[in-house]
Amino acid sequence: MKKIKIFLVDDHTIFRQGIRLLLNLQSDFEVIGEADNGTQAVSMVQQLSPDVVLMDIAMKGMDGLTATKDVLAVSPKTKVILLTQHENKEYILPALKIGAAGYVLKRAAADEVVNAIRATYQGRSFLDPEIADIVVNAYRQGNEDAYETLTEREREILILLAKGHTNNEIAPILNISSKTVDYHRSNLMKKLSLHSKVELTKYALKRGLIQS
């Protein structure tokens, strides 16, 4: 029997180990590798060409959305499933737009993850039942708002700023210069018509990007 080759990407070792144990119980699954960051994942996927990648979103350095885009560029036949705790449309819709084949919440039952892998491997899309309504409602209402114009990097910086980080603190987190952080900060605030740190934080809270 041909096994589905799976690659795991998550910056929490214990979580990866748990997922690996779960998947190894399936006779048609084979976990062929894992990475704890997006940059490493893209490089290894290019070498290993897995059938399916389970990708976290929030990771240091390259985030999961950017990594997904790069994975699909170097390995077009690979299916990427976002396996994450983020359940708001600011993450879900961009993930689907860049080509993710599935989106599953980390609190989902084990069989949901298994079903998602088999479905995407067979060429179908898979959405966690808990977020299906979010996607449908977003498209009914129209999702082309100012937030949708932000780049992945601008979204990362928006969240970090809203959490109270300064430009100098954000720079090493994202492996960029403080000057580059300031450039992205100016751009995102202009796109969102925000004029102060307080407005930025309120915006992030309202959209569910950070917790109060």
Side-chain angles (χ1 to χ4, degrees), residues 7 31 34 56 61 68 78 80-81 92 96 100 105 117 122-123 129 150 154 162 167 169 200-201:
F7 191 88
V31 178
E34 54 185 73
D56 189 18
T68 295
T78 296
V80 179
I81 299 169
I92 300 168
L96 299 179
L105 299 179
I117 291 171
Q122 293 167 6
L150 299 184
E154 287 168 349
N167 286 13
E169 291 171 338
L200 184 147
T201 303

Side-chain angles (χ1 to χ4, degrees), residues 9 35-44 59-63 67 175:
V9 190
D36 63 4
N37 65 78
T39 302
Q40 182 186 28
V42 174
S43 176
M44 293 183 69
M59 297 181 289
K60 291 183 179 179
M62 183 186 292
D63 66 277
N175 297 318

Side-chain angles (χ1 to χ4, degrees), residues 63 65-66 69 94 98 150-157:
D63 66 277
L65 294 180
T66 304
K69 184 185 296 183
I98 62 178
L150 299 184
T151 65
E152 283 87 355
R153 181 63 81 195
E154 287 168 349
R155 292 173 186 178
E156 289 176 326
I157 291 173

Side-chain angles (χ1 to χ4, degrees), residues 7-205:
F7 191 88
L8 310 177
V9 190
D10 195 288
D11 58 355
H12 292 92
T13 303
I14 292 178
F15 183 79
R16 290 200 316 272
Q17 290 175 342
I19 290 294
R20 179 184 279 270
L21 288 173
L22 164 67
L23 300 183
N24 283 338
L25 295 175
Q26 310 301 315
S27 60
D28 57 335
F29 288 179
E30 178 185 5
V31 178
I32 62 170
E34 54 185 73
D36 63 4
N37 65 78
T39 302
Q40 182 186 28
V42 174
S43 176
M44 293 183 69
V45 166
Q46 188 171 21
Q47 297 173 24
L48 300 174
S49 297
D51 298 308
V52 178
V53 172
L54 292 183
M55 178 83 71
D56 189 18
I57 288 183
M59 297 181 289
K60 291 183 179 179
M62 183 186 292
D63 66 277
L65 294 180
T66 304
T68 295
K69 184 185 296 183
D70 289 353
V71 161
L72 295 176
V74 301
S75 185
K77 293 184 179 180
T78 296
K79 308 297 183 182
V80 179
I81 299 169
L82 277 303
L83 183 58
T84 175
Q85 64 181 352
H86 296 293
E87 55 185 296
N88 46 340
K89 69 178 183 179
E90 283 70 31
Y91 289 100
I92 300 168
L93 299 182
L96 299 179
K97 283 185 177 181
I98 62 178
Y103 199 104
V104 181
L105 299 179
K106 283 187 173 180
R107 65 170 180 265
D111 61 347
E112 289 295 315
V113 178
V114 170
N115 291 340
I117 291 171
R118 292 195 176 119
T120 56
Y121 176 69
Q122 293 167 6
R124 293 180 281 124
S125 298
F126 188 95
L127 287 180
D128 190 304
E130 290 195 35
I131 67 168
D133 286 344
I134 295 175
V135 175
V136 172
N137 290 335
Y139 277 99
R140 282 176 177 169
Q141 297 167 6
N143 55 66
E144 290 300 321
D145 60 5
Y147 183 86
E148 297 298 324
T149 69
L150 299 184
T151 65
E152 283 87 355
R153 181 63 81 195
E154 287 168 349
R155 292 173 186 178
E156 289 176 326
I157 291 173
L158 167 61
I159 292 170
L160 290 170
L161 287 170
K163 287 182 177 179
H165 293 286
T166 64
N167 286 13
N168 289 335
E169 291 171 338
I170 293 172
I173 294 175
L174 299 180
N175 297 318
I176 57 178
S177 69
S178 179
K179 186 176 181 180
T180 301
V181 174
D182 188 58
Y183 170 78
H184 288 303
R185 174 178 180 162
S186 296
N187 279 349
L188 74 88
M189 293 190 74
K190 188 175 183 180
K191 289 179 180 179
L192 299 176
S193 297
L194 302 176
H195 305 95
S196 69
K197 183 73 174 293
V198 173
E199 287 185 4
L200 184 147
T201 303
K202 288 181 178 179
Y203 178 87
L205 284 167

